[in-house]
Amino acid sequence: MSLADLTAIDLVAKYRAGDLSPVQVIDDVLARVDELEPRLQATYALDPEAARQAARESEARYRKNAAGPLDGVPVTVKENIATQGTPVPQGTAATELVPAKEDHPAAARLRQAGAVIFSKTTMSEYGMLSSGVSTFHHLARNPWDLTKTPGGSSAGAAAAAAAGYGPIHLGTDIGGSIRLPAGWCGVIGLKPTHGRVAVGNPYPGRAIGPITRTASDAALTLQVISGPDRRDQTSLPPFTDDPRPLALQGTHIALLLDAGPGLPVNPEITAAVTNAAQTLEAVGATITEIPPIITREMLDGLDHFWRVRSAADLAALPENRRAKVLPAIREWTSTADSLTPYDVFHGHTQMQNMSTAVDQAFAAYDFILSPTAPIPAFPADQAYPTNNPLQPFEHIAFTVPYNMSTHPATTVNCGHTSTGLPIGLQIAAPRFQDLRALALAAYLETILPTNPWPTNVHH
């Protein structure tokens, strides 16, 4: 196994034992990036020299027994999570490139823990697409099949995780932007409980979380980056997760195979998710299939509210910059003028109704299992799975409810399609039980079928 493929937990153990140096590891990761990046296009602001310097400093801390919990571990950070000195284009050519004045709270926590942030990762236009399409970045591609999207908006982060650009990648999620690409790239992606990780620029549904190859690495990362920060009034105090060990005997799990609105679920995805549920049932969990949680009215209401919000953002730009925004986004927001104030208020109300519906669904269950997405990864150059800017959210009906309700939700690979594309299983848990969701993901990692990592990205 290449050093680039080692987990964060293994790396820290080997560093502490003196069996490996952070300098060796970052060199191996950078070699992997150099080999695959011309085809994947996952990175932004890659900085090999700064990474090697950080690795040398980490090596010195290990010699002094002064290492932090992620010391020397190679990490990437999504480009909209600010790091000092690097512009934050938000995936669009319409943004003025101004270097960030300081590290975002989550990036600062990674550095304090000794992590080696060697690159940012690409994202889609304004983070509003579940693909890698962007007017600023090169088109990111899926390591399992270069003709397919890695998903989005955390496109580069998920592609980097699947390709083995080191073990830890930070993404952001407001409707599925961590979990959808993680599911389509066959990796773990956690949207934490709202407030668990300080966002810095809080907004309903917005979250930051880890994208990793293992649930254990995601749990370690979450514990490092969580906690309060004065820059985010919604951030929570340091957390103590449910101390009970995961015991599947007697656990009540809801199985949601029909999201209600949105695209129909691909039969291979239904089969893989059902198989995962049956596997849990065989070891003592009680599985109950439940009807859809959300309605078409809820999903359309969310669309209307976001349309107006995004239209307001674009209207604030000078015309020369607004003209640089992806045409599909401009087409979507152009319809905002047809919505009345009552439509917008109704849309906002539907977001709250979505939250209430999710909370009620949890009344009798410890977890809710579902597909992460109704379809496998779609063509890389499509902005939307529907290829229609006026139907932009037909694939997020399984993921977005937990953004609105603030519950933690993670995705884990539960199989592959007949063409070899990963299938994501989403695990949602009650609020504040992020680590229990990851514990269930860790259990499923050990028992569900999987394929070797696509480290030799095929042309």
Side-chain angles (χ1 to χ4, degrees):
M1 177 185 280
S2 164
L3 301 182
D5 294 312
L6 291 174
T7 67
I9 287 173
D10 286 345
L11 285 175
V12 170
K14 289 178 183 296
Y15 293 155
R16 291 194 191 286
D19 295 336
L20 261 186
S21 154
V23 176
Q24 292 173 281
V25 174
I26 196 63
D27 281 344
D28 211 51
V29 169
L30 290 170
R32 172 74 58 81
V33 173
D34 193 49
E35 176 195 356
L36 301 184
E37 189 57 7
R39 300 191 289 284
L40 288 186
Q41 304 290 355
T43 63
Y44 161 64
L46 178 69
D47 194 342
E49 287 318 304
R52 290 188 173 100
Q53 178 58 32
R56 288 191 288 270
E57 291 167 2
S58 174
E59 193 176 56
R61 287 192 292 274
Y62 277 104
R63 284 199 296 267
K64 297 173 186 172
N65 289 319
L70 285 178
D71 229 299
V73 176
V75 170
T76 72
V77 175
K78 187 176 175 180
E79 67 104 306
N80 64 341
I81 301 170
T83 51
Q84 187 176 18
T86 304
V88 184
Q90 300 182 80
T92 178
T95 304
E96 291 184 308
L97 297 180
V98 179
K101 292 180 179 176
E102 62 182 3
D103 281 347
H104 176 285
R109 291 261 165 87
L110 287 174
R111 282 200 217 275
Q112 289 161 8
V116 175
I117 299 175
F118 68 93
S119 185
K120 307 297 288 288
T121 52
T122 59
M123 63 181 280
S124 59
E125 192 89 1
Y126 282 120
M128 289 305 295
L129 307 174
S130 296
S131 67
V133 174
S134 160
T135 55
F136 181 83
H137 299 295
H138 293 294
L139 182 63
R141 295 182 180 274
N142 192 317
W144 295 92
D145 181 343
L146 295 175
T147 70
K148 304 298 184 186
T149 184
S153 63
S154 305
Y165 289 13
I168 295 172
H169 311 271
L170 277 201
T172 66
D173 190 316
I174 198 170
S177 285
I178 286 172
R179 289 157 291 155
L180 289 165
W184 285 324
C185 288
V187 294
I188 297 285
L190 172 72
K191 183 207 77 69
T193 298
H194 188 87
R196 180 73 86 204
V197 179
V199 176
N201 51 344
Y203 194 84
R206 184 176 287 151
I208 288 175
I211 298 177
T212 59
R213 284 184 169 188
T214 69
S216 298
D217 275 0
L220 172 62
T221 307
L222 179 66
Q223 291 171 86
V224 166
I225 64 175
S226 66
D229 189 285
R230 293 299 310 171
R231 292 168 284 181
D232 182 351
Q233 76 275 13
T234 69
S235 58
L236 297 170
F239 75 93
T240 51
D241 201 69
D242 190 324
R244 297 170 299 162
L246 180 69
L248 291 169
Q249 185 75 37
T251 298
H252 293 275
I253 298 176
L255 176 62
L256 178 67
L257 294 174
D258 177 5
L263 296 169
V265 182
N266 176 293
E268 290 187 296
I269 292 176
T270 298
V273 171
T274 301
N275 174 65
Q278 290 170 343
T279 302
L280 295 173
E281 192 170 43
V283 292
T286 300
I287 305 291
T288 306
E289 190 169 344
I290 61 171
I293 296 173
I294 68 167
T295 63
R296 167 54 66 183
E297 186 180 15
M298 292 175 191
L299 191 63
D300 286 349
L302 174 97
D303 179 4
H304 293 164
F305 183 80
W306 279 359
R307 240 176 247 233
V308 172
R309 184 201 72 172
S310 296
D313 290 342
L314 296 196
L317 296 175
E319 176 52 38
N320 65 319
R321 286 171 55 195
R322 189 161 58 246
K324 296 179 181 178
V325 174
L326 188 76
I329 295 282
R330 283 187 278 134
E331 183 180 349
W332 174 58
T333 58
S334 70
T335 59
D337 288 344
S338 66
L339 297 169
T340 69
Y342 302 99
D343 293 330
V344 180
F345 177 74
H346 181 73
H348 191 269
T349 302
Q350 292 306 311
M351 292 161 63
Q352 182 57 48
N353 290 350
M354 195 181 286
S355 172
T356 302
V358 172
D359 202 58
Q360 290 173 345
F362 268 110
Y365 300 106
D366 300 299
F367 300 102
I368 299 175
L369 297 190
S370 74
T372 305
I375 56 169
F378 53 95
D381 57 359
Q382 284 183 204
Y384 306 97
T386 57
N387 220 9
N388 181 355
L390 302 183
Q391 290 184 308
F393 301 137
E394 298 303 294
H395 58 292
I396 67 171
F398 285 114
T399 51
V400 74
Y402 305 112
N403 293 84
M404 297 302 105
S405 70
T406 77
H407 289 76
T410 189
T411 186
V412 61
N413 183 238
C414 67
H416 290 77
T417 67
S418 54
T419 58
L421 294 173
I423 296 171
L425 166 73
Q426 182 174 239
I427 303 166
R431 271 186 288 272
F432 316 119
Q433 295 198 8
D434 308 61
L435 294 181
R436 285 181 72 75
L438 288 171
L440 181 55
Y443 175 74
L444 288 170
E445 279 176 339
T446 65
I447 59 171
L448 293 178
T450 189
N451 291 354
W453 293 109
T455 44
N456 296 314
V457 175
H458 50 273
H459 295 47

